[in-house]
Amino acid sequence: KMKQAQAAGIRPLVPVDRRASAKAAKARLREKENAEYEAMQKGDINHMPKAERLPWRIYIRDYVDARFNLGEWFIPVAFAILIVSIIMMALMYGYLIAVIIDVWLMWRKLKAKLIAKYGEQSVSKGSRSFSYAWSRSIQMRRWRLPKPRYPKRGHWPAD
């Protein structure tokens, strides 16, 4: 009976203060986990979690730790590659901006010369002169079609 159980000092299945009981259980669990973590850091097999005490787990650890593993360097190498790729991307965008500025400066001079020699119709929108000039300027010289008339640079057209 209840009165007899209380008199005997037997605790009920459900504690009176559930929150306090839950906190105490969490604290015990945290203490156990901290002790196991500390044992793993020190290499104390007797106090490690049960899964880490299995003989084949010990063998696997010893085997893997005895050899050189490429995987050990994965994170530092991946980080270095990431940094280099960010730098390369910044260089690529910088170069792209330089190309755009170069094409713009080239077109300003070329446009004035075309107007002076051939008139306004040579640079009108229908003539597509700008797109022809910039597309030719961004191609490698040996891949341009029609081929350049002179093998080397420096042969400017007559004004």
Side-chain angles (χ1 to χ4, degrees):
K1 297 208 175 183
M2 184 71 143
K3 286 186 180 183
Q4 292 172 345
Q6 287 176 346
I10 298 173
R11 292 185 301 183
L13 292 175
V14 179
V16 177
D17 188 2
R18 286 185 178 185
R19 284 190 177 155
S21 175
K23 278 187 178 181
K26 274 187 183 179
R28 283 192 303 273
L29 180 64
R30 191 176 304 117
E31 196 174 304
K32 179 186 171 204
E33 288 173 346
N34 286 343
E36 288 175 344
Y37 182 71
E38 190 175 325
M40 287 175 61
Q41 285 182 320
K42 292 180 179 177
D44 181 10
I45 294 175
N46 297 326
H47 294 96
M48 285 184 190
K50 285 183 182 178
E52 298 300 329
R53 287 186 248 164
L54 297 171
W56 54 87
R57 281 282 183 109
I58 295 168
Y59 184 84
I60 291 169
R61 277 198 304 272
D62 291 344
Y63 184 87
V64 170
D65 294 344
R67 67 185 295 272
F68 174 76
N69 299 294
L70 284 175
E72 291 179 56
W73 294 96
F74 178 76
I75 291 177
V77 169
F79 185 72
I81 290 171
L82 179 68
I83 297 298
V84 169
S85 66
I86 289 171
I87 291 168
M88 294 302 289
M89 195 64 106
L91 288 173
M92 184 186 75
Y93 279 118
Y95 187 70
L96 177 63
I97 290 168
V99 166
I100 291 169
I101 291 170
D102 179 56
V103 168
W104 179 70
L105 291 173
M106 180 226 22
W107 178 245
R108 282 184 50 204
K109 282 185 180 178
L110 180 59
K111 182 178 178 182
K113 290 183 182 243
L114 286 171
I115 290 172
K117 188 162 184 158
Y118 299 104
E120 282 289 330
Q121 79 273 6
S122 65
V123 293
S124 66
K125 288 187 179 188
S127 70
R128 298 186 333 208
S129 296
F130 173 73
S131 62
Y132 184 67
W134 76 259
S135 67
R136 192 160 175 94
S137 73
I138 63 172
Q139 288 178 349
M140 291 188 69
R141 186 176 170 87
R142 69 175 62 181
W143 295 342
R144 293 176 188 162
L145 288 177
K147 293 276 185 199
R149 290 201 294 172
Y150 304 101
K152 300 213 178 207
R153 299 176 200 282
H155 291 274
W156 299 97
D159 287 334

